[in-house]
Structures are given as C-alpha cells and as structure tokens.
Amino acid sequence: MTEPNRRDVMQLAAAGAMAGVVAGEARADGGGAVIDANMHWLPEDLFTDERLLTAFVGAVPREYGIHAKVEAVPGKSLRQIVIEQPLGSEVLNYAENQYSATGQIADMDQAGIAQAILRLPCWQEWLPLDLCKRVNDGLAAHLSRHPGRFQALAVAPPWGTADAQKEIERCIKELGFVGVQMAAHYGQLYLDDPAFKPHLKFLDQLGVPVVVHHTPLPVDYASIVKYPNLRRQYGRCLAQGTAVGRELFSGLFDEFPNLRLVHSMLGGGFFAFADMLVPPSTGGRDAVDRFADESAKLRGYLARNIFFDLSGAPQWGRAQLECAVKVFGADHILYGASYPIRRDWFHDGVPLIRSLALSEAEKAAILGGNARRLFKLA
C-alpha cells in the first residue's frame, strides 16, 4: 500500500474513511484508526532492577523541595514510587506492573486504540543524560518488540549541549522516534527562559513536534498544596496554563517559528482563557489602553505553533470538551488518555469523543488524524 501524503490523510480522515495502515490495528466504530498521543511509559524492569530504581529516585531534585521514596502500595503486595512536593504532600505515584506491554496492549485493544505515542510521566523534568539514553534505548526496544502499536518521543536534558543534541538526533534519525518530549518547566524555569534557547533553536531547526508534558505543580504552588485534588489536578493545569501563556507573550515563536508544541491537559484548560488573554479585535479604542494589543500576532501563534492533547477526555466533561473544540478548533486537539492514570478514563474516552456534538470530520481529526499529521505517521 502506498503511504498516504499529508493532504490525503486529512481528506480521508474528514470523510471518516481512513483505512488502517498498521497490521493488526484496532478499529473504532465508523472512523479511522484511533491514535492515543499521550500514553505513559516507564521501564518494565524499573522495580526489579534496584540500580535503575535507585537512579530514577535519585534523579528527583531535592534542592527544589521535591522528594521521592519507594514504599508498599497500601493493602497490596506491590511497591510504588511516591513523589512529594513539598515533603509530606504527595503529587505523583507510580506502582509496579502498570507499564507492562502485555497490559498496555490488552487495554488498548479493549479501548479501541490502534496505536499509542509513548512518553515519560513527568520524569522529563529530572533525568540526566545517562538515564535519558537508557530510557530512549528502552523505548526503542519496546517499539521493536511490538511493531505498529507504539511510537516514541525522545527525552534529553534541555540545556542545548552537544551531547544532548546528538542523543536527540540518534533517536529521530536512527531509532525512528517521531518527536521530542519536554516538561512545562524545569525547576524554577519555564520554557521562555533564555536558558532554553540553544535547545529550542536546535529543535526548531530539526523540525519535529515537541510534546510539553505537565509538571506536578507550577513554580509557585504554596496556595494549593493543602488539598489533594487541588494539588494533584489543578496544580497540573496551573503549570500548563502558565507555560502556554508565557510562550505566547514572550515572543518565543518569533525567534523559533518552526516550533510546534503539543501541550498536555488541554494546556491546563487554556481554552477557557484564550479569548480573554488574546481577545478578538473590535476596532474600538478606550481612553486608556490597559492591555497590550497583540491579538493578531498571538492568534497566529495559536494557529501555527501550539496544539493540545486531552490527557484523559472523561475528566473534562462533555461541555468543556465541546467548548475546547469551538475555541481551539478540532485540528488543534489530539486524543490522549494519560494511561495508566485511571482505567475508566482510558476505556471510556473514545466513546465519549464519539458522542460529542461534533461533525464526523472533527471527531476523526481528534481521534487520530491530527496525530497522524503532526507526527507524520504512516
């Protein structure tokens, strides 16, 4: 079968008739193959290789008030990594046996997911280059053992060193990865900080999509740590929304116009604030100009440079999802479930998208067409 070009892919997706090109792929009812653009991956031997486990836990930077420990899952004969920020406030936990290929594929088949793009769940912020190389090699081996079911995103420290750039090139050009993963911020620095310019310049020239995963909390988090749900859900949204806003207002995309950033968590619900922060021009003038009027330029960034994944459709709800599509456009939203965070989100996500008051073309774009286009999937 001849590989479809980008235009053909979008035309077929819009018609709801894209044929599967991956052998043995799952099919969703009435449309093209579903691609999950946000599936979490950790090495399967993370909890059995004590040296690897120690290295992962040791990568968490305590100098920023982040603490990691390994302990038993209450009431079960399983271990978990628990991340606290600050000490005593749990923001992340990873249990063993949740990242096995057997379990992933069985759940993908049940959920109607043909293919998944793998990334690390929040560890992008912390890993040094040697661990990044081990992760990338593990991802490559995972893909080779299960051809057609997974794609991968390269991880490397974001400081623009020659060795980190060489590692990313190896992943893209030799291992066949389809993009790069980053965090919404690193320590105290969001991506508009000058420290990231060498890295972003390299990625701009490389021309591959950059997935920006949420961090557990924003840089400034003191007012939300008291309550678990506020800390663990709203904290991620604050981190992503702040990241998107800073990227828009900093002129980042003037300097790096080829960057295409895919933000998780719908950019922290950025659709709710987009028209407020980037209002459409009415042509009217006030006696006092209280806001910088850069709407045309900023809307251009939103149209060209920033995309969003759902990170678990059911957690948003029907009204919010439909609103996000109206604000961002269906061509800027990628389906993603943040597996294995909640199994009900994973299994109920595709049916929820198919039930929305959207056109079949919009549903097809969200469920696979956009990921296929952005990541240039066959």
Side-chain angles (χ1 to χ4, degrees):
M1 177 178 177
T2 302
E3 179 178 324
N5 62 33
R6 177 171 167 175
R7 178 175 294 178
D8 292 338
V9 167
M10 292 306 292
Q11 288 176 340
L12 288 168
M18 177 171 291
V21 297
V22 178
E25 69 187 4
R27 288 297 302 271
D29 292 341
V34 178
I35 300 171
D36 187 333
N38 183 350
M39 176 174 274
H40 295 169
W41 182 89
L42 287 172
E44 289 191 48
D45 60 348
L46 179 58
F47 286 90
T48 57
D49 184 334
E50 291 298 328
R51 292 181 63 184
L52 179 60
L53 183 60
T54 299
F56 258 74
V57 172
V60 175
R62 296 192 178 195
E63 62 268 29
Y64 292 121
I66 308 171
H67 299 264
K69 60 185 178 181
V70 180
E71 63 181 23
V73 177
K76 298 181 179 179
S77 58
L78 297 172
R79 291 193 295 172
Q80 64 176 342
I81 300 172
V82 175
I83 309 295
E84 297 177 337
Q85 186 181 6
L87 186 65
S89 297
E90 181 182 303
V91 292
L92 293 166
N93 60 304
Y94 306 107
E96 61 181 317
N97 298 337
Q98 286 195 305
Y99 299 91
S100 72
T102 301
Q104 286 174 328
I105 292 173
D107 283 332
M108 288 168 65
D109 289 344
Q110 183 177 344
I113 305 295
Q115 198 171 43
I117 301 174
L118 301 175
R119 67 177 76 169
L120 293 172
C122 296
W123 289 87
Q124 303 92 344
E125 184 184 355
W126 304 319
L127 295 186
L129 183 58
D130 59 338
L131 275 180
C132 288
K133 290 180 178 179
R134 180 156 183 177
V135 165
N136 292 330
D137 286 340
L139 279 166
H142 190 84
L143 268 59
S144 67
R145 288 192 293 266
H146 311 283
R149 297 312 299 267
F150 300 105
Q151 301 288 348
L153 303 169
V155 62
W159 312 113
T161 66
D163 286 342
Q165 292 177 0
K166 183 178 179 180
E167 173 62 10
I168 291 175
E169 286 188 321
R170 180 180 77 96
C171 290
I172 301 298
K173 298 178 180 179
E174 298 179 21
L175 303 182
F177 289 11
V178 297
V180 174
Q181 53 186 305
M182 295 185 69
H185 64 79
Y186 290 79
Q188 310 298 300
L189 306 178
Y190 286 95
L191 301 187
D192 62 307
D193 191 273
F196 300 108
K197 283 190 176 183
H199 187 65
L200 295 178
K201 180 179 180 180
F202 169 75
L203 296 178
D204 179 75
Q205 294 171 345
L206 192 61
V208 297
V210 180
V211 166
V212 183
H213 194 71
H214 50 270
T215 49
L217 289 170
V219 170
D220 305 305
Y221 59 79
S223 61
I224 63 170
V225 297
K226 183 176 181 180
Y227 304 106
N229 285 17
L230 196 63
R231 180 172 70 243
R232 295 197 62 147
Q233 285 289 81
Y234 190 54
R236 290 155 170 75
C237 289
L238 284 176
Q240 278 287 21
T242 301
V244 172
R246 291 178 67 114
E247 290 155 13
L248 284 174
F249 286 99
S250 66
L252 184 72
F253 301 113
D254 288 336
E255 193 165 358
F256 308 117
N258 298 317
L259 274 182
R260 289 165 296 158
L261 304 183
V262 183
H263 281 270
S264 62
M265 299 289 292
L266 281 174
F270 197 79
F271 60 89
F273 308 101
D275 280 350
M276 180 192 301
L277 295 174
V278 191
S281 178
T282 62
R285 302 296 297 175
D286 292 312
V288 178
D289 292 328
R290 293 178 173 84
F291 305 100
D293 185 7
E294 300 178 294
S295 292
K297 181 172 70 172
L298 298 180
R299 284 180 175 270
Y301 300 154
L302 284 172
R304 294 187 303 271
N305 301 103
I306 298 183
F307 300 81
F308 305 90
D309 84 54
L310 298 174
S311 304
Q315 70 175 314
W316 291 104
R318 185 182 308 275
Q320 288 78 6
L321 290 171
E322 291 174 354
C323 177
V325 174
K326 289 180 181 178
V327 173
F328 291 148
D331 60 340
H332 275 58
I333 298 175
L334 284 69
Y335 184 78
S338 290
Y339 179 95
I341 301 304
R342 283 189 54 160
R343 296 178 70 85
D344 57 343
W345 290 353
F346 189 71
H347 292 135
D348 297 342
V350 172
L352 176 58
I353 296 300
R354 294 205 174 280
S355 73
L356 298 179
L358 305 174
S359 69
E360 291 305 309
E362 290 172 322
K363 295 174 189 177
I366 293 168
L367 288 172
N370 294 335
R372 196 178 298 275
R373 170 173 56 92
L374 275 174
F375 295 101
K376 299 180 181 178
L377 305 181

